Amino acid sequence: MDEKQKKEYEQYVSRITPTHNLFFQMIKAFVTGGALCVIGQVILNVCAGMGLDKEASGSWSALLLILLSVLLTGFNIYPSIVKWGGAGALVPITGFANSVASCAIEFKKEGQVFGVGCKIFTIAGPVILYGIFTSWALGVIYWVCKWIGIL
């Protein structure tokens, strides 16, 4: 590659590379995550106002947030929210539901068993696997510390 081609390539790369304002991205993530948390808090407050205890209210809040995330993913709205809000839209419960639902939608055309059944946890599978392994490892460490008398 000669010098002229290198210069043209560098100009091309700088022209098509998206630029992001980190501060603005953080504000958008904060607003998006905050909005999802406000929705969850509203659900908690409504459930408590209906006479449910704290645990039942939390369960309903989690259930409805998952349902909302899956519905928005199904209607192809949640990906737009993620694109705008970045990490703020990946609040654990809604982001996890989105990752499972999007894989199910993507592989639906391959059939119920080999498509949805086999590929539904493509993205969420490692989260589940390492979450379970980490909790097991921490449980063993806790048990050993109790057995030794440290805790």
Side-chain angles (χ1 to χ4, degrees), residues 6-147:
K6 281 185 181 179
K7 193 166 241 105
E8 286 176 1
Y9 180 72
E10 287 173 9
Q11 289 173 347
Y12 169 74
V13 168
S14 66
R15 205 174 49 240
I16 66 165
T17 302
T19 57
H20 298 288
N21 181 336
L22 179 62
F23 181 73
F24 189 58
Q25 287 296 110
M26 290 188 325
I27 294 295
K28 290 194 311 187
F30 178 78
V31 168
T32 305
L36 289 170
C37 291
V38 165
I39 292 168
Q41 188 63 49
V42 166
I43 295 169
L44 277 173
N45 292 349
V46 168
C47 289
M50 293 172 58
L52 295 175
D53 65 348
K54 204 172 192 177
E55 187 175 319
S57 296
S59 296
W60 274 103
S61 179
L63 181 72
L64 291 174
L65 284 172
I66 290 169
L67 176 65
L68 179 66
S69 176
V70 169
L71 287 174
L72 291 175
T73 300
F75 289 119
N76 204 24
I77 297 170
Y78 203 85
S80 301
I81 295 170
V82 170
K83 186 175 181 180
W84 188 83
L90 300 176
V91 173
I93 200 162
T94 55
F96 188 75
N98 172 57
S99 70
V100 172
S102 62
C103 285
I105 292 167
E106 181 179 350
F107 293 107
K108 183 180 174 202
K109 58 186 160 275
E110 294 181 23
Q112 292 297 316
V113 175
F114 293 112
V116 176
C118 292
K119 308 275 177 101
I120 193 166
F121 292 113
T122 300
I123 295 173
V127 174
I128 295 168
L129 172 69
Y130 292 116
I132 290 171
F133 176 75
T134 302
S135 65
W136 175 83
L138 291 174
V140 168
I141 292 169
Y142 177 78
W143 178 76
V144 168
C145 290
K146 278 225 47 118
W147 186 62

